[in-house]
Amino acid sequence: MSKSLKTARRGGDVASAVADGAGTGAVSRRADRAAERRAAIVQAAMDEFIARGFAATRLDDIAKRAGVAKGTIYLHFKDKESMFEELIRTAIVPFVGRLAVPPPLGGSVRDMVESLARMFLQEIAGTRRADLVRLIIAEGPRFPAIADFYYREVVSRGLAAMRALIQLAVTRGEIREPKLVQHPQLMIAPMMVAVIWKSLFERHAPLDAEAMLQTHLDLIFGARRPT
Amino acid sequence: MSKSLKTARRGGDVASAVADGAGTGAVSRRADRAAERRAAIVQAAMDEFIARGFAATRLDDIAKRAGVAKGTIYLHFKDKESMFEELIRTAIVPFVGRLAVPPPLGGSVRDMVESLARMFLQEIAGTRRADLVRLIIAEGPRFPAIADFYYREVVSRGLAAMRALIQLAVTRGEIREPKLVQHPQLMIAPMMVAVIWKSLFERHAPLDAEAMLQTHLDLIFGARRPT
DNA sequence: CATTTATGACTGACTAGTCAGTCATTGTAA
DNA sequence: TTACAATGACTGACTAGTCAGTCATAAATG
């Protein structure tokens, strides 16, 4: 089943690239054009799903937004549901790689956690991706496959990495509270709150996530001494 | 507009209660019967909305579950959308009252926070109400009226109350980190995570929310000395 | 009996998914 | 190089089905 993904590059020449110097930007290679359209569909679908949720999203709208006929969508995806699932997966995968904790280099654990959290705030909480997280929270229960995938690929890995960091910090004496190793969720909780807050309440009361993060880290690692 | 809410109790006697001792449970009083049906509809609608989200929920299903004809629903609610909004409001209100911080009584702030958090875990995170919170997160952006209401009635009040408690604790010396006053969200974050976790990941990895709470409080108030 | 309340068949708008047909692109032969 | 054939990506009108909301009719009530 589910062959339908035509994107597989044939032969070798990936090189007919999208020089796309000046003018029309017309793409010749058939496969390229197809890939381009697929990308447009994915983008459009993402926007629509985020804006309306799964059930309320119309394929007609996705098609229109992607500048494509509805039938074209079905050349790339089996149906609405598998499109949705594949979409989420595709969007998540790029982040999975970074979850392997970078080798505990020289600096303090706090610095490492801080830079990780900063990255998260900038690349997720501050962007449309925050809505993606919200979408997963929203649709998860109705798409167990997605919840499972998300748990396996993101949550469990992320928590494992975080636990390792906490363990290290406890060993080094950077963190006093050893029980924290059992609850790596506590380290991440403020990030989750930030994501949700941005999606729902930002216009009521803007949240200074960076400042909150500092306070959070001070609680866990102890306040930095004022030099 | 939107009169349609028939629930207003007439006269005084709320007392013709639902004795409902043994048999049919037949209720005589018209208004009571109406109220009963309304309650059944509300309950059924809640279940369906939680299970499927707003868009995917069918009024036919709500009617069937409530043991009522579809037309009956429209005797109580203007349409699907306002039913949804009113539903959420109705479900939230009972909790608003408790958010006024009980007068800072004798005990420590930590004990007070702890008991509040415990209550939250038991009455929200442990129950179907957790899914209600998830539902608000999920549908909030599409129902600004609900997000607004939720922010006004729950979030802002809850945070204000929490801020007052933190302020008190800082004054008393129970909390060392004064910046926490600026970020009452940090106090609540683990509760939010618990709610989401229960909804999405409980079957993958059960979360001991109580234990997590203890660790969290130890971080904020300092570990209890082992006597 | 008059009035209020409840019913559920019905309607009309809407939408996921299909498929016969079109046509630009690619391959092949002269 | 040019003419012709094969391919398959793309289209959009269409089908079959769904569902919010209505209303003529029936039941319950006082």
Side-chain angles (χ1 to χ4, degrees), chain B residues 43-89:
Chain B
Q43 184 59 51
M46 211 65 197
D47 292 343
E48 292 289 328
F49 281 132
I50 283 176
R52 321 181 108 81
F54 176 79
T57 290
R58 285 164 301 221
L59 289 185
D60 285 304
D61 289 347
I62 294 176
K64 185 181 293 179
R65 186 189 277 249
V68 144
K70 185 157 63 155
T72 306
I73 293 176
Y74 285 87
L75 297 176
H76 293 272
F77 301 94
K78 177 170 156 284
D79 58 15
K80 191 183 177 185
E81 197 164 315
S82 53
M83 173 167 73
F84 182 69
E85 296 191 354
E86 195 178 322
L87 229 61
I88 302 275
R89 260 186 274 264

Side-chain angles (χ1 to χ4, degrees), chain A residues 134-156:
Chain A
R134 213 202 64 245
L135 189 62
I136 291 170
I137 293 173
E139 307 286 359
R142 258 157 295 156
F143 292 90
I146 284 182
D148 291 0
F149 181 82
Y150 191 66
Y151 179 78
R152 256 200 338 269
E153 302 294 325
V154 180
V155 176
S156 73

